[in-house]
Amino acid sequence: MKVKVENVALVYVELPNAKSEQDLYEIKELINTAQGEIKLYCTQKRDSIDPTTVLGKGKLDELKRTIEMLDCDIDVVIFSCNLNATQRAFLTKTLDCDVIDRIDLILDIFAMRATSAEGKKQVELAQLTYNLATKPEGDFSRQGAGIGTRGPGETKLETNKRLARDRIHRLKLELKEIESHRNLTRKKRRENGIFTVALVGYTNAGKSTLFNRLTQSDVYADDKLFATLDTTVRKTTLDNGIEILLCDTVGFIKDLPHTLINAFKSTLEEATRADLLLNVCDASDENVADHIATTEATLSELGATAQIIRVYNKCDKLSTNSSITLASDTPVSSVFISSLDGKNIDILMENIKRHVATHYSTVKIRVPLAESARMLSLLHKFDAQCQSVEYLDEYTEIKVVISKKYIDLIAKYIVF
């Protein structure tokens, strides 16, 4: 579907200790992703946000005059800071224009990207929850075709907070039902003892491209922020015969809205339940250290405790010296790769295999012939890998790679 490019006025409020260059680059990329074109840029340094006007009165008057004098009409004014209901109402009336903030922008992109039924419900829940808390009565639930007004559903809600609360309640019930099905799938995976690796990381770091290379899949991947929202799970086999699951998850971003984290909690739990995390980061981005910190802080907030391998992707864009500098500053296991051309993918797989090995044991078991069929069936149920099966006169000897959690169940058959 072709989306109309909209004219945007960007207002950046620079507060003390702000990383203005990084913040500006990111919000401009968000606007570009949302099909906006910046026609006017306004900035003001402030010690704090004005509780009503956000900007100083003089700066706001200047912004209003500039918008009126532009050759083109401004479709939406986007503020870099979060806005409350009072500020939105005042700014919208003063500027005579749609006014949104950075969180609206992120939610809008999620609405554009949502494809699955679950994804659409999660985004709608996040939008309604945020709108209910921050937008005026006559504006909070509007849906349309412009930046900050897009919604994932077909229904256009009336501007009534009671209806919005009812819809939020229904969405939570529907998502709870979806979550119960997801939990059943996770339970079956845990019962099978299959090792799970989750790809996490900052948005647009190349997670989906890496996922496709590791699993020979064709998950949608693009050089855009939040190109994919839905968690995808695929099984792949290591060269030692052990099968593992790889999960591709939604990307993170600085100050990811809590409404989104809460709405996507069941999806993000794939990362919290994983046995190993690959923190995929763009090694060519000068803000890579901040991106790593943002991702790992979000993982900590979600309760993820698995070991992490930092995967510095896009290393084909780096000089040798920059790679050495990054590696020396990294306190955890790391590997430099290019998911695009496959460089060092074998090294990454060896790293994964080492972590998997800590969860598995290779043992030889000797089973009476009468119990052989039952044992082979049991090993299959445990997702164990039989490396050899030898039928002797009275016994069957099986060399098997099995999850350590099941060792006790076959301990009496183990021979040394």
Side-chain angles (χ1 to χ4, degrees):
M1 182 180 70
K2 189 173 181 180
V3 180
K4 173 182 174 287
V5 176
E6 294 192 72
N7 297 328
V8 172
L10 171 59
V11 181
Y12 179 69
V13 184
E14 185 177 345
L15 297 172
N17 303 319
K19 295 184 177 180
S20 55
E21 188 175 338
Q22 178 183 347
D23 293 344
L24 273 172
Y25 172 78
E26 197 161 88
I27 197 166
K28 286 176 180 178
E29 284 296 298
L30 287 168
I31 290 170
N32 181 58
T33 301
Q35 300 295 309
E37 184 176 340
I38 299 173
K39 295 293 186 179
L40 174 63
Y41 170 60
C42 170
T43 182
Q44 185 179 42
K45 287 186 177 182
R46 293 186 61 85
D47 291 331
S48 62
I49 302 293
D50 187 281
T52 302
T53 62
V54 179
L55 303 172
K57 187 176 183 306
K59 193 68 175 180
L60 190 59
D61 289 341
E62 178 188 331
L63 174 61
K64 177 178 172 61
R65 288 194 302 271
T66 307
I67 289 174
E68 292 171 345
M69 290 188 296
L70 282 178
D71 293 334
C72 61
D73 291 333
I74 293 295
D75 296 301
V76 60
V77 180
I78 301 176
F79 279 74
S80 63
C81 56
N82 298 349
L83 303 175
N84 60 36
T86 302
Q87 291 164 338
R88 287 174 189 275
F90 180 83
L91 292 169
T92 301
K93 183 177 179 181
T94 302
L95 299 175
D96 192 24
C97 203
D98 285 339
V99 174
I100 66 171
D101 61 18
R102 178 179 173 275
I103 293 181
D104 288 313
L105 187 57
I106 294 173
L107 291 170
D108 188 78
I109 293 168
F110 270 59
M112 291 172 65
R113 294 279 188 260
T115 55
S116 69
E118 181 182 15
K120 290 177 181 179
K121 292 179 191 298
Q122 288 169 325
V123 175
E124 186 180 357
L125 175 60
Q127 285 182 320
L128 285 171
T129 303
Y130 187 63
N131 292 350
L132 199 62
T134 66
K135 292 191 177 181
E137 176 76 31
D139 180 61
F140 82 98
S141 63
R142 61 192 171 87
Q143 290 186 346
I147 294 175
T149 68
R150 284 180 279 253
E154 294 296 325
T155 304
K156 292 187 177 181
L157 295 175
E158 296 295 328
T159 52
N160 184 295
K161 293 194 175 186
R162 181 183 57 80
L163 291 178
R165 290 190 186 96
D166 290 344
R167 179 63 180 158
I168 286 172
H169 178 68
R170 288 197 300 273
L171 284 169
K172 285 181 176 179
L173 290 177
E174 291 168 10
L175 285 169
K176 195 172 184 65
E177 186 175 345
I178 294 173
E179 183 181 358
S180 67
H181 290 301
R182 189 189 296 278
N183 287 337
L184 278 175
T185 304
R186 287 198 192 106
K187 184 180 178 183
K188 287 179 182 177
R189 292 207 300 257
R190 286 198 300 272
E191 288 173 349
N192 289 340
I194 191 163
F195 192 90
T196 304
V197 181
L199 278 67
V200 297
Y202 214 75
T203 181
N204 204 26
K207 291 185 300 300
S208 295
T209 303
L210 176 58
F211 180 84
N212 286 337
R213 182 168 287 278
L214 295 178
T215 62
Q216 287 76 56
S217 301
D218 58 354
V219 169
Y220 177 72
D222 203 350
D223 187 19
K224 294 178 179 177
L225 303 185
F226 304 115
T228 53
L229 293 186
D230 299 313
T231 296
T232 307
V233 182
R234 294 285 187 275
K235 185 181 286 187
T236 191
T237 305
L238 301 176
D239 59 14
N240 59 5
I242 294 177
E243 290 185 328
I244 64 171
L245 287 178
L246 283 164
C247 304
D248 185 23
T249 61
V250 65
F252 299 138
I253 197 168
K254 179 184 175 185
D255 300 325
L256 189 67
H258 278 275
T259 50
L260 268 179
I261 292 177
N262 290 334
F264 278 75
K265 206 150 197 174
S266 66
T267 304
L268 291 170
E269 276 184 0
E270 292 292 356
T272 66
R273 305 291 178 87
D275 299 297
L276 178 66
L277 298 169
L278 303 184
N279 182 357
V280 184
C281 46
D282 181 354
S284 66
D285 193 308
E286 62 183 19
N287 299 307
V288 63
D290 289 331
H291 293 177
I292 290 170
T294 294
T295 297
E296 294 181 7
T298 306
L299 288 170
S300 178
E301 183 180 342
L302 289 168
T305 56
Q307 283 187 290
I308 295 174
I309 298 177
R310 290 181 184 167
V311 182
Y312 290 93
N313 192 23
K314 307 184 185 181
C315 69
D316 49 298
K317 297 181 180 181
L318 282 176
S319 67
T320 304
N321 289 337
S322 57
S323 294
I324 292 170
T325 301
L326 280 170
S328 65
D329 291 336
T330 303
V332 297
S333 177
S334 63
V335 59
F336 292 83
I337 69 160
S338 171
S339 55
L340 199 60
D341 62 23
K343 182 178 180 180
N344 291 344
I345 293 295
D346 56 336
I347 297 175
L348 174 60
M349 292 305 291
E350 283 299 316
N351 271 266
I352 293 173
K353 196 162 70 173
R354 277 199 298 273
H355 281 83
V356 173
T358 64
H359 288 68
Y360 286 81
S361 291
T362 301
V363 297
K364 183 184 284 187
I365 59 175
R366 186 176 291 164
V367 185
L369 286 174
E371 299 180 37
S372 297
R374 184 189 66 83
M375 177 56 70
L376 287 169
S377 176
L378 190 65
L379 293 175
H380 177 72
K381 179 182 177 182
F382 294 160
D383 206 42
Q385 305 300 315
C386 296
Q387 295 185 334
S388 66
V389 180
E390 186 177 358
Y391 293 96
L392 305 175
D393 291 341
E394 297 182 11
Y395 297 96
T396 301
E397 281 193 355
I398 307 170
K399 187 178 180 182
V400 63
V401 181
I402 187 169
S403 174
K404 289 180 178 178
K405 64 190 281 188
Y406 298 124
I407 288 291
D408 287 347
L409 300 179
I410 61 170
K412 69 178 181 179
Y413 299 108
I414 296 176
V415 293
F416 299 95

